[in-house]
Amino acid sequence: MELFYLSAHEAARLLQNKEISAVELTREILKRIEQVEDKVKAFVTLTPEKALEQAKAVDEARARGENLGPLAGVPMALKDNLCTEGIRTTCSSKMLENWIPPYDAFVVRKLREAGAILVGKCNMDEFAMGSSTENSRFFPTRNPWDLDRVPGGSSGGSAAAVAAGEAFFALGSDTGGSIRQPASFCGVVGLKPTYGRVSRYGLVAFASSLDQIGPLTRDVTDCALVLQAIAGHDPLDSTSADLPVPDYLAALRQDIKGLKIGVPKEYFGPGMDREVVSVVRQAIDRLSDLGAFCEETSLPHTEYALPAYYLVAPAEASSNLARYDGVAYGFRLPGKDVVDMYMKTRREGFGAEVKRRIMLGTYALSAGYYDAYYLKALKVRTLIRRDFDQAFEKYDVLVTPTSPTVAFRLGERVGDPLAMYMSDLCTIPVNMAGLPAISIPCGFAQGLPVGLQIIAKPFAEEILFRVAYTFEQATGNFRRWPEI
Amino acid sequence: MEYEAVIGLEVHVELKTASKAFCSCSTAFGAPPNTQVCPVCLGLPGVLPVINRQMVEFGIKTALALNCSIAPICKFDRKNYYYPDLPKNYQISQYDLPLARDGYLEIEVDGVKKRVGIIRVHMEEDAGKLIHGEEPGADYSLVDYNRAGVPLLEIVSAPDLRSPDEARAYMEKLKAILEYLEVSDCKMQEGSLRCDANVSVRPKGSTVFGTKTEVKNLNSFRALHRALSYEIERQISLLERGERIIQETRAWDEQRQVTYSLRSKEEAHDYRYFPEPDLVPLAIGEEWIERVRSTLPELPDARRERLIKDYGLPEYDARVITGSKALADYFEKAVSLFPDPKQVSNWLMGDFMRLLNAKGLEPQEAPVPPENLAELLKLQQEGTISIRIAKEVLEEMFATGRGAREIVEAKGLTQITDVAQLTAIVEKVLAAHPKVVEDYRKGKEKALGFLVGQVMKETRGKANPNLVNQLLKERL
Ligand SMILES: [Zn+2]
């Protein structure tokens, strides 16, 4: 197999055995980027010089006999809403096109310390609002499996980079499915950790009570490896959990015998592509074959998750994005007075979807509407959480499709926000409840990857890894890579 | 018709924590612009706030001193509005679950004591400061974010105040309490103590509230008093002319000594409050509250009673002295060195405060430390200098910061008590004014004063006045 399609832990072994140097491996990835990036367009910013410098430092450290972690020398990519000191962080928005953060996000610092090599910052839907990466203000990213299709979103650049061999792994962020849905569309593994498992410090906020950073990887082992590197308490994020981080690699056991798996029927109903449903059903049969006890169950408030999400997330976004006003940093269009400057700057600096959500959120929080919208949505959120709590009294994990369809064509849903919103139908309830969920490749429909979503209770990432790893090892054939 | 005013005050206090409310930047006043900032208080993309525990502790302390009950769980909310001095375009504040509620403080006006309710005490962050270009033709503004994120307490009184005098007494009392607690510098000029007033009027005896206006920009006790007096008069004259009062926000114009309309109710902001998702609710347990309670210092009322009891000070003196913690501290220190409390109190309330106010200083900033004042009083008491000279020396001490004895010696101000020396001068004066001597002898008592004055003039005020009197009388 080509070097650039090794998994991160396979590449790490080559590095550890000194069969290849970090500089060589990085050159390999940079070469691959050169070959395919014109077609895939996964990156907003490439950092080849910095990457080679960093790789050289890792090689030197290794030569000195320093004790390096498993990710040392492994090239990776970051979604462009993760702050990187000295490297522009755009959120794929005109608003931050030239903004260079003076600090590293917590996860970026962790990965730097682990010796991972940053090759570039990935394209995304503007401010993480979207499900296709078409809302990038710069250019759309293409799905490596079919360049006429979207890679999903909003972490589409991260998923495409991993699927195209342009990075061994990437970080994304997930507010309503933005890691899992593109992982599913691009045939890679994507994890949204429990809310609070990974510090959000340095993640440019979309909806603070839903946002969570997580890995996009080639396989489940890599996913555990990367989570291990980025998880943990951060005193700078008051919502990050002060809980010990388990040994996730130890959770990678091929054994799901006797595990109870719930299959919520609401995720297989109308709006779901029949072929996708059938692939997912086969995957569930496979889990049964592997010794798990699978049974249909119900999460009755599922249908209210999407509308409630589209109140909570825009409400928080309307406030989080208020700071982009042209005063102290970022894009500015001068005006005849300060209010005029605000209006011109925001009208031009934000794209249509961002403005749509700011308006939705502003409205939902307005005097006289707050109780009917925002407060009601919070109540729905409680009901959704309760559904899951009840289900987890009975089941170890729940499984669903990750997305109702496979990757759709570019432009297909651009004019229809509601159709676009529907593609997060299966992932949004998980964010509303703050749960961990992983999407793993489970087969193909119309020649395109299909993702299986596995959901667990809060801070139970280990069982996700166990189920995902068992499935992956038993069905290795889904680990295929696209011809580009 | 006779009207009465209904006033409630919203006071903002900057807490003197070492660091800001949600980041570790310094809160020190007066640093060069934008030198006490970091990504968090600049509101850069991606940052998150972290609650400063010292802020919470100062909040609890203040709330306890104001007899409030502390909420077992409080939370922070976002108050959304656009202003260039507000880095995130929202302020982290507290909305429906504030730190504390339902307290009171006691004021006294014209000998009448009154309990003023405190509705709530909550924590929030301050904004930065706009600096407008001043040169001719300048059409720009600059922002200094040093103050952005400095912790504030907002203390909201009940509409229990009925006059500008009561409002001022409330502010003075609140300021004194905050100073005693050492939670704020309370400098109105520097903005560390700010006040907005809600004012309405109604026919005396009525129990319903009239339409209120909110008056802003009250940055001194005098401004508060004058603005309220003006606003009450304005509202009464509107009613008497049969006009309506418009609910609006007004500002005090210090230059013109009037209030003017800032914005109407219709233009009022919709702050779109919602729970701050970046912070988790704050639980304050009994244990924490009790620990803070055990650190509460003696408060103004208790200290006043103690000064009356222990030092025999008149009630009036005790009230004035304890009105400022620094002044009371000064007093007690000076008395420990010069144990004549009434003397010290007279000097403090008289010349000392006059000189201090002229310099615009707080007692703790006085160039004359209590040791020096005590020394001065001692010199006067033992007769080395006269009262008149002592007053002059105090001015000199304020001007130069030098000690009393040093000044007295350097300037040769020691009182002349040498009988022979004074007798010579007395004789000389009597010889020079035979007419006056005659008047006195004819029974014109006043003439004596003139002669004393002449002796004092000859000695440049240094003669011991008792001795001069005695010598003159002997010779008349
Ligand atoms: Zn700061």
Side-chain angles (χ1 to χ4, degrees), chain B residues 20 23-25 36-42:
Chain B
K20 293 186 179 180
C23 66
S24 53
C25 289
Q36 289 168 350
V37 293
C38 72
V40 175
C41 56
L42 286 175

Side-chain angles (χ1 to χ4, degrees), chain A residues 143-335:
Chain A
N143 191 318
W145 291 89
D146 177 347
L147 296 174
D148 290 332
R149 290 179 187 263
V150 302
S154 64
S155 311
S158 298
V162 173
E166 295 180 282
F168 288 98
F169 69 90
L171 291 189
S173 67
D174 191 317
T175 307
S178 280
I179 290 174
R180 290 159 288 157
Q181 185 255 22
S184 146
F185 279 16
C186 293
V188 300
V189 175
L191 172 75
K192 183 202 94 74
T194 310
Y195 186 79
R197 178 77 287 181
V198 177
S199 166
R200 292 183 293 117
Y201 191 80
L203 165 67
V204 180
F206 160 14
S208 314
S209 74
L210 301 160
D211 294 344
Q212 189 64 193
I213 300 165
L216 291 118
T217 59
R218 300 255 166 78
D219 65 19
V220 177
T221 306
D222 286 2
C223 194
L225 213 54
V226 177
L227 181 64
Q228 196 81 56
I230 63 172
H233 178 61
D234 175 8
L236 293 183
D237 176 358
S238 310
T239 64
S240 82
D242 196 358
L243 292 172
V245 179
D247 181 351
Y248 291 123
L249 288 176
L252 301 173
R253 287 193 285 134
Q254 281 189 65
D255 170 27
I256 56 167
K257 279 192 192 69
L259 229 54
K260 291 204 192 87
I261 297 180
V263 183
K265 62 175 189 228
E266 290 79 6
Y267 290 71
F268 294 82
M272 305 299 295
D273 180 89
R274 277 179 48 207
E275 267 188 82
V276 166
V277 165
S278 130
V279 169
V280 170
R281 291 238 183 253
Q282 283 167 37
I284 294 169
D285 290 345
R286 198 67 196 264
L287 290 170
S288 297
D289 295 346
L290 291 164
F293 169 75
C294 300
E295 151 181 281
E296 190 179 271
T297 183
S298 171
L299 299 168
H301 295 95
T302 301
E303 63 171 311
Y304 304 112
L306 192 83
Y309 172 87
Y310 276 99
L311 291 168
V312 173
E316 292 179 10
S318 71
S319 172
N320 282 332
L321 272 63
R323 70 191 66 196
Y324 308 110
D325 57 6
V327 173
Y329 54 82
F331 175 75
R332 173 196 286 185
L333 261 190

Side-chain angles (χ1 to χ4, degrees), chain A residues 21 37-38 53 61 83 103 111 160 165 170 174 185 192 236 257 281 295 308 312 335 405 410:
Chain A
S21 72
E37 178 57 11
D38 273 356
E53 243 170 69
C83 287
Y103 74 103
L111 287 175
D174 191 317
F185 279 16
K192 183 202 94 74
L236 293 183
K257 279 192 192 69
R281 291 238 183 253
E295 151 181 281
V312 173
T405 65
L410 268 101

Side-chain angles (χ1 to χ4, degrees), chain B residues 303-305 307-308 311-324 327-328 331 340-350:
Chain B
R303 196 170 196 180
R304 189 185 66 228
E305 293 312 313
L307 293 199
I308 294 169
Y311 297 99
L313 279 191
E315 158 103 26
Y316 175 81
D317 290 36
R319 182 176 301 281
V320 173
I321 299 269
T322 56
S324 146
L327 191 60
F331 169 82
D340 183 343
K342 182 58 187 152
Q343 268 281 47
V344 174
S345 153
N346 287 346
W347 276 87
L348 284 184
M349 298 195 306

Side-chain angles (χ1 to χ4, degrees), chain B residues 225-273:
Chain B
H225 196 272
R226 291 196 175 171
L228 287 176
S229 305
Y230 176 89
E231 183 60 18
I232 292 164
E233 277 312 307
R234 188 187 72 86
Q235 292 190 9
I236 291 174
S237 67
L238 276 175
L239 292 182
E240 289 192 327
R241 287 204 304 272
E243 290 176 39
R244 270 184 342 112
I245 291 157
I246 301 162
Q247 187 176 339
E248 61 185 350
T249 303
R250 302 177 69 83
W252 172 243
D253 186 331
E254 187 69 50
Q255 222 94 63
R256 296 188 296 135
Q257 299 279 302
V258 295
T259 65
Y260 62 94
S261 177
L262 269 186
R263 55 179 176 264
S264 71
K265 190 189 169 197
E266 287 69 33
E267 295 166 285
H269 297 294
D270 175 0
Y271 290 119
R272 287 174 283 116
Y273 281 101

Side-chain angles (χ1 to χ4, degrees), chain A residues 99 102-103 200-203 208 235-239 319-320 322-325 327 329 342 346 362 365-367 370 374, chain B residues 39-40 43-50 78 80 82-84 87-90 145 270 272-275 277-280:
Chain A
W99 183 63
Y103 74 103
R200 292 183 293 117
Y201 191 80
L203 165 67
S208 314
L236 293 183
D237 176 358
S238 310
T239 64
S319 172
N320 282 332
R323 70 191 66 196
Y324 308 110
D325 57 6
V327 173
Y329 54 82
Y342 285 161
R346 291 170 66 80
T362 305
L365 290 175
S366 294
Y370 182 86
Y374 187 75
Chain B
V40 175
L44 294 189
V47 298
L48 298 169
V50 177
R78 290 189 186 174
N80 296 284
Y82 281 82
Y83 206 70
K88 304 182 291 291
N89 284 322
Y90 62 80
Y145 291 113
D270 175 0
R272 287 174 283 116
Y273 281 101
F274 75 103
D278 288 331
L279 292 172
V280 291

